[in-house]
Amino acid sequence: MVPESGPLVTTSKRRVVYRRSTWAVHEFEVWSGELVCRVAALRMKGSMLLWVGGTSAELGELALGLPVSERGALATSLSEEKAGDGAAGLARRLALALQRPVWVAASLPFDRFSAPLIARGLVKEIKSRPDFFKEP
C-alpha cells in the first residue's frame, strides 16, 4: 500500500529553484606560543557570527554589535551570564570594522592577557583573508 502523500505524489505545480548557500564557514586558531583560542566565523548575507572558544563547544556569552555610522558602533550582551565586556566589546569593534552586524559567542573569559591576543589574531586573520570577511 502506497501512502497518498509522499515524494512521488505531486501536490503542487510550483517550481522549486535551488540556489547555492550564501553562508560560508571559516575556522582558525589564535596562537601566542601556545593555543589561545579557536575561532569559527560564519559569514551570512548582511551579518557575521563569530564563535571564540577553547576546547569545549559551549556557546557562553553572546553579544551583538551594530554599526550606527562609519565612525561608531553599538553593542549589547544578550546572555544572562555576563562575564564582562569581552564579547560585547569585540562585537562592537568588529561591527565597526566590517560595517555590518556581528554576533559574538565567547565560551572563554576575556581577561587583560587574552583579550589583546585574541584581537590581534582576529585582525591578522581578517587581513590575510579579506575575501572571506567582506560582504558576499
Side-chain angles (χ1 to χ4, degrees):
M1 182 170 157
V2 178
E4 289 188 26
S5 63
L8 300 177
V9 178
T10 304
T11 59
S12 174
K13 299 290 184 192
R14 292 186 182 190
R15 190 174 169 162
V16 177
V17 178
Y18 293 97
R19 295 185 181 165
R20 293 193 84 149
S21 175
T22 58
W23 290 24
V25 178
H26 176 57
E27 296 180 54
F28 59 97
E29 296 176 339
V30 176
W31 289 80
S32 177
E34 60 183 41
L35 179 66
V36 176
C37 67
R38 290 189 170 100
V39 180
L42 173 64
R43 183 186 68 196
M44 302 168 278
K45 185 175 181 180
S47 66
M48 176 169 280
L49 176 109
L50 197 74
W51 176 81
V52 180
T55 56
S56 69
E58 296 176 7
L59 189 59
E61 183 184 3
L62 183 63
L64 171 63
L66 296 168
V68 292
S69 69
E70 290 182 11
R71 301 184 71 202
L74 299 173
T76 186
S77 179
L78 301 172
S79 59
E80 289 183 17
E81 55 180 84
K82 191 169 181 176
D85 192 37
L90 184 60
R92 182 182 49 77
R93 290 192 302 274
L94 285 171
L96 180 62
L98 300 175
Q99 283 299 303
R100 61 181 154 166
V102 176
W103 301 83
V104 174
S107 68
L108 56 90
F110 289 89
D111 57 21
R112 63 185 181 141
F113 300 111
S114 65
L117 295 173
I118 293 169
R120 194 174 309 128
L122 288 172
V123 168
K124 180 180 174 186
E125 195 67 25
I126 290 170
K127 286 183 178 180
S128 69
R129 295 282 313 264
D131 57 324
F132 180 81
F133 289 96
K134 69 180 182 182
E135 185 72 30

